[in-house]
Structure formats: C-alpha cells, structure tokens
Amino acid sequence: MENTKKNWPLWEIFVRSKNGLEHRHFGSLHAADAEMALENARDVYTRRNEGVSIWVVESKHITASNPADNGELFEPAQDKVYRHPTFYDLPDEVKHM
C-alpha cells in the first residue's frame, strides 16, 4: 500500500495552554505517525507559543459515548450526592478545585 496522504490516519490533538491545568481538544489532522502528528500539531495549533504540552491520539483509539444516550450514562451519578463537594468549604490553600 502506498503511503500517500490520503492513507494517513487521523489524529486528535489535545493542547495544554500555559495558564491551563488540563489538555483541551484543539482539532484533528492527518499524519503518517505519532512523531509527524506532534510536529504538525505544534506548527498548526501552537504557532504563538500558547501551548506547554501536546497530546496526539490516533482517532481509532478513542472510544466516545453517544450524546443521544446521555440519560442512561449519566443518570446513575445523580443519586450519589456524596460525590459532589457541596457539603464542606475548601480551605483557601487548596487551589484549582
């Protein structure tokens, strides 16, 4: 099989900004391998030095929930109020919560 661009896999790009704590999905691109995906993601999504970390994940390795099924998926969490930090005040020393 010829390694042409149309045969390259799709990669999902996640970037952590300088003042962010988490990686956010920035977009997708085609690349021959992970190294090329990282280099292309750097060039396309962090041109102004806004990122400190980039993750690339081949799209076929991502499993996502279906938004149409969100009731079934998220409903059980509604009856577990103890999982939500609403019963106590956080000390000022605790950051990023």
Side-chain angles (χ1 to χ4, degrees):
M1 177 190 272
E2 186 179 303
N3 192 16
T4 62
K5 187 175 181 179
K6 68 179 179 178
N7 294 328
W8 289 352
L10 183 66
W11 297 82
E12 301 302 323
I13 310 304
F14 300 86
V15 177
R16 180 178 160 207
S17 64
K18 286 183 180 179
N19 52 0
L21 296 175
E22 70 283 336
H23 286 73
R24 290 185 38 229
H25 184 255
F26 268 50
S28 306
L29 54 80
H30 289 274
D33 56 30
E35 185 176 338
M36 179 187 274
L38 268 174
E39 291 172 4
N40 290 347
R42 178 199 62 213
D43 295 344
V44 172
Y45 296 109
T46 63
R47 284 179 271 181
R48 297 178 190 94
N49 293 323
E50 60 266 52
V52 295
S53 176
I54 300 173
W55 291 348
V56 296
V57 181
E58 197 171 345
S59 295
K60 72 178 184 180
H61 295 296
I62 294 179
T63 303
S65 64
N66 183 342
D69 299 333
N70 70 355
E72 296 172 22
L73 184 63
F74 297 109
E75 186 65 33
Q78 297 301 324
D79 64 349
K80 297 181 174 108
V81 295
Y82 57 85
R83 292 185 175 179
H84 304 285
T86 58
F87 300 104
Y88 55 90
D89 295 324
L90 291 175
D92 292 336
E93 297 80 34
V94 177
K95 305 289 186 208
H96 309 298
M97 292 281 298

